[in-house]
Amino acid sequence: QIDGERNDVQINPIATCLRGPFAVLGRPGIALDQLQQLGGEGVGLFGGQLHRRGGELAGAVAKLPRPLVFTNGCFDILHAGHVRYLEKARSFGDCLVLGLNTDASVRGNKGPARPINGELDRAEVVGALKAVDYVVLFGEKTAETIIAKVRPDVYVKGGDYTLETLPEAKIVQSYGGRVEFVQMVAGRSTTNVIKKIEQLQEQEGEA
C-alpha cells in the first residue's frame, strides 16, 4: 500500500512487489496515475521494467551490479549530512539501493508529528541524488525482512549503531555480507532542522 495523493507529476516508477509491502523506484520516469492504471496484483516495476507474476524484488535485484550496497532510513528533510552519508555508502560498491521508511513506519518510529514530507516526495528527492541508484519503500519497523530479500553485499548504517545494537547485522552476516558504519555529520539532522524552524517561528511571534 502506497500513501500519497500526488498523481499529476512525473516521478520514478513506483509499484508494489509480489511478496511483502515493498514499493520500488527506478530511474526512468512514469506518472503515478499511469502506474495505478497498470494495477493488479503481482505487478511490480524495477528499473523501469514491468514484472508480472514472479517479478519479485529479489529477482529484480539479482540483475543489479555487484557489489550491491544497501542502506535505509527516513530521509525526511534532506540535508548535507544525508548527502555525505549516501555518497560514502555508495563508495562501498557499484550500486546503492536505499530502503526508505513509509509514512506509516516513520510515524511508528518517530511519533505522530513525523514525517514532515510524505513518502513519495521523500523518495523523489533522495532518488534524484547521484549516489542513489534505486529507492525501495518499506513499511516495517526495521529493514530485516527487506534485507533478507535484497541480500546486499554491504549493508551501511550510521556510526551511532554497533553490530550488537543493529538488528539487521545478523542477517547480513549469515550469508557472508559485511556491515559498514559511517560516522554521521555532527549537528546535521532532520530533528535539528525542525528545531531551528520552530525557534525562528517563536522569535517571529515575539517580535
Side-chain angles (χ1 to χ4, degrees):
Q1 182 69 30
I2 300 173
D3 298 331
E5 300 176 353
R6 300 182 62 184
N7 61 5
D8 59 348
V9 295
Q10 289 291 319
I11 59 174
N12 291 333
I14 302 177
T16 302
C17 290
L18 262 177
R19 297 178 184 174
F22 308 126
V24 184
L25 293 83
R27 290 290 185 188
I30 184 172
L32 182 57
D33 56 353
Q34 289 178 285
L35 179 62
Q36 291 172 334
Q37 288 171 10
L38 293 174
E41 183 180 355
V43 175
L45 273 165
F46 197 91
Q49 296 182 347
L50 180 65
H51 303 275
R52 294 182 183 275
R53 295 296 177 188
E56 298 181 42
L57 177 61
V61 168
K63 301 175 183 179
L64 296 180
R66 296 281 177 167
L68 176 66
V69 182
F70 184 90
T71 191
N72 61 280
C74 302
F75 297 90
D76 193 355
I77 299 177
L78 202 66
H79 52 75
H82 287 142
V83 175
R84 296 175 197 175
Y85 171 84
L86 292 171
E87 287 177 345
K88 182 62 177 179
R90 180 64 168 76
S91 73
F92 291 118
D94 290 336
C95 182
L96 176 61
V97 176
L98 186 151
L100 187 69
N101 290 86
T102 61
D103 292 347
S105 65
V106 174
R107 286 191 291 271
N109 289 332
K110 296 184 177 294
R114 299 280 298 276
I116 302 300
N117 293 304
E119 59 196 37
L120 298 186
D121 284 339
R122 289 185 286 119
E124 185 175 359
V125 170
V126 77
L129 296 178
K130 183 179 179 180
V132 178
D133 295 289
Y134 293 93
V135 176
V136 184
L137 291 169
F138 71 100
E140 298 172 320
K141 187 175 180 63
T142 70
E144 293 169 272
T145 299
I146 192 170
I147 283 177
K149 288 179 176 290
V150 174
R151 293 175 67 89
D153 301 290
V154 186
Y155 178 48
V156 179
K157 284 296 285 185
D160 50 339
Y161 286 94
T162 66
L163 289 176
E164 292 71 30
T165 61
L166 189 64
E168 297 88 349
K170 290 183 179 180
I171 296 175
V172 176
Q173 293 173 325
S174 71
Y175 59 79
R178 79 175 196 268
V179 179
E180 293 282 355
F181 297 102
V182 174
Q183 291 302 314
M184 309 304 288
V185 180
R188 303 291 202 281
S189 72
T190 294
T191 299
N192 285 344
V193 172
I194 294 172
K195 287 181 179 179
K196 186 174 183 178
I197 292 172
E198 290 175 342
Q199 289 172 355
L200 290 173
Q201 289 176 333
E202 289 177 3
Q203 292 172 7
E204 289 178 357
E206 295 172 356

